[in-house]
Amino acid sequence: MNLNSLQFDNAWMRLPEAFYSRVSPTTWRDTRVLDVSPLGAAQLDMDSDSIDRECLEALMAGRELLPGMAPIAQKYTGHQFGTYNPALGDGRGLLLGEAMTIQGAMDLHLKGAGQTPYSRFGDGRAVLRSSIREYLAGEAMSGLGIPTTTALAVAINGERVMRERVEPGATLLRLSPSHARFGHVEWLYQRRKTEDMQALLWHLIHRHRPEFAEAERPFEAFFADAVERTANLIAAWQAYGFVHAVMNTDNMSLLGLTLDYGPYAFMERYKPDWTPNHTDAGGRYAFDQQPGVGLWNLTVLAQSLTPLIDVERLRGMLDEYEPTLQSTYAQLMRARLGLTAKKDDDHSPGDASLTAAWLKLLEQHQADFHNAFRALGNYRSDADSRWQLANALEIAPEDKALETWLDDYDRRLQQESRGAEARKLAMDAVNPCYVLRTHLAQEVIEAAEAGDSAPLRCFRERLASPFSRHVGDGDDWFLPPAITAPPVCLSCSS
Ligand code: AMP
Ligand code: MG
């Protein structure tokens, strides 16, 4: 199967006209595809090696479309840093078409496709740096099993784009079953377009959640599902140290996917109130704020749905958010700590306190979040491995807090039915050895800017299967940035 044989059924265009504007992509010169993702290709029922590069390049240059595509910019609004902004929409990306695949619909969205009626003051362009960061994020999140948009490919072009500095232009061919956002519903609520809101919800139900079409109250089933998926998504972010950093409601997916990667980062040295976004001085979207912001955003969505769903019932469904998030988080953390038995806090030590004390330990010693879990997999409840673990965490072996925690952990392990070897295998399957570290992404970006895309491919391969070590890899892939290294500066400008 090749790109030209994709079948499109552009359902978004059957929604009322106010939902979108028809816009053709701008053509960029000297476009060159840097990498094609096997994972993205598989989502289109294709093999990345057999994709026609010329055809892909023409598509990503904005020069040609595939048969059946009909590009549009989607209209939406949203709350940005707590303030409603009615002027949003696809400002630099276009939905080129909705492909029908074996698994269902798949949006092909070209990010960096030029200006649209929603560009406001923006130039409609994407730079290579952010395009590579978004490309790698899709791979890393998929590798970890966290719901996300992905991408088929990333391409550099010959444009020079002005940001904090002049940067090479780029396009990203993003894939998602849908780009429907909380902000789509907010916009219809603010405009008092109840019928259009119904049309949107029916579209989403028929195409993405057909099982709800037969429910007694289909819209409620859809909202309850959005609550549950958002709770599970944010639980996974917290368990894996992911900071989205711009959780505005226009960046929240109605399907519960991680959407719109900007100044995101994976937490490295553990610091819960940290955000990688230098423009978020108040820390609104810091790591430890994410669960609360998820609820805030869902509350805005619930408010927007009041023309269609009874307020008390919306409240009842929102009440499910926190327990769902807590329980998924606890389950993920149990797995990451190598525990199978579930123990509540009547038990000593219970899951919650064991997890909290572990995180406290990492925080106190500024240990690397990811390597710490991986190292714990090698722990064998003896003096030798206590010493090795302390070393890996960069904590003195005689540290009292570490000793106390390991005593508790030993007691928990004694109640487990599986042995150390089985525990290690299970832990290695959920604790990645390859992590999308910002400084590594930056190295890959700098190499690509200088004309070498081999490191990009290499990193992408590792992130897509992050749990098993590739033969021959040296330490460079695993070390956190030196504590003295200046942080890579990330902002919303992309
Ligand atoms: P973001 O924070 O990346 O989710 O973007 C917020 C809004 O600004 C969205 O409506 C984007 O489409 C728009 N936007 C961001 N960057 C640009 C740009 N360079 N040109 C036009 N619109 C942009
Ligand atoms: Mg956005």
Side-chain angles (χ1 to χ4, degrees), residues 10 13 20-25 65 69-73 94-97:
N10 304 320
M13 294 188 68
Y20 62 89
S21 298
R22 293 196 71 148
V23 186
S24 293
L65 295 171
M69 281 181 160
I72 55 170
L94 294 176
L95 174 56
L96 298 179

Side-chain angles (χ1 to χ4, degrees), residues 76 181 250-251 260:
Y76 53 82
R181 304 156 186 268
D250 53 304
N251 292 338
D260 275 9

Side-chain angles (χ1 to χ4, degrees), residues 49-69:
D49 292 333
S50 66
I51 286 182
D52 176 351
R53 285 286 182 121
E54 264 179 49
C55 175
L56 181 59
E57 221 141 69
L59 189 63
M60 296 186 73
R63 212 166 50 233
E64 280 174 32
L65 295 171
L66 301 175
M69 281 181 160

Side-chain angles (χ1 to χ4, degrees), residues 193-259:
K193 298 271 191 193
T194 307
E195 274 179 29
D196 289 354
M197 196 188 295
Q198 280 177 322
L200 173 65
L201 291 180
W202 277 122
H203 156 68
L204 294 171
I205 290 170
H206 286 263
R207 189 159 254 197
H208 303 287
R209 308 281 181 248
E211 63 279 20
F212 300 152
E214 303 304 321
E216 198 180 326
R217 298 187 183 89
F219 296 161
E220 290 184 24
F222 184 84
F223 179 68
D225 178 77
V227 172
E228 185 181 348
R229 286 175 192 264
T230 305
N232 288 333
L233 179 71
I234 294 176
W237 290 359
Q238 300 310 111
Y240 281 94
F242 175 78
V243 196
H244 182 287
V246 196
M247 284 178 73
N248 294 332
T249 54
D250 53 304
N251 292 338
M252 297 291 292
S253 151
L254 285 170
L255 300 188
L257 307 169
T258 313
L259 172 66

Side-chain angles (χ1 to χ4, degrees), residues 9 11-12 15 19 43 72 74 76 90 95 97-101 103-109 134 147-150 174-182 184-185 200-209 222 250-260:
D9 177 22
W12 202 268
L15 290 170
F19 277 74
Q43 285 179 296
I72 55 170
Q74 291 182 317
Y76 53 82
D90 287 338
L95 174 56
E98 299 167 55
M100 300 315 289
T101 73
Q103 292 146 61
M106 191 59 69
D107 283 2
L108 271 74
H109 174 107
E134 179 150 12
T148 181
T149 63
T150 54
R174 185 161 75 181
L175 304 176
S176 179
S178 169
H179 282 77
R181 304 156 186 268
F182 287 16
H184 279 114
V185 183
L200 173 65
L201 291 180
W202 277 122
H203 156 68
L204 294 171
I205 290 170
H206 286 263
R207 189 159 254 197
H208 303 287
R209 308 281 181 248
F222 184 84
D250 53 304
N251 292 338
M252 297 291 292
S253 151
L254 285 170
L255 300 188
L257 307 169
T258 313
L259 172 66
D260 275 9

Side-chain angles (χ1 to χ4, degrees), residues 126-136 154 162-165 167-170 262-264 441-442 445-446 449 488-494:
V127 295
L128 185 63
R129 166 179 53 93
S130 351
S131 304
I132 287 181
R133 282 174 45 81
E134 179 150 12
Y135 181 71
L136 292 175
V154 61
M162 190 59 199
R163 294 291 181 263
E164 275 105 348
R165 62 181 172 101
E167 300 186 45
Y264 75 86
Q442 192 56 31
I445 291 163
E446 283 165 23
E449 286 182 349
V488 178
C489 191
L490 302 174
S491 70
C492 284
S493 103
S494 56

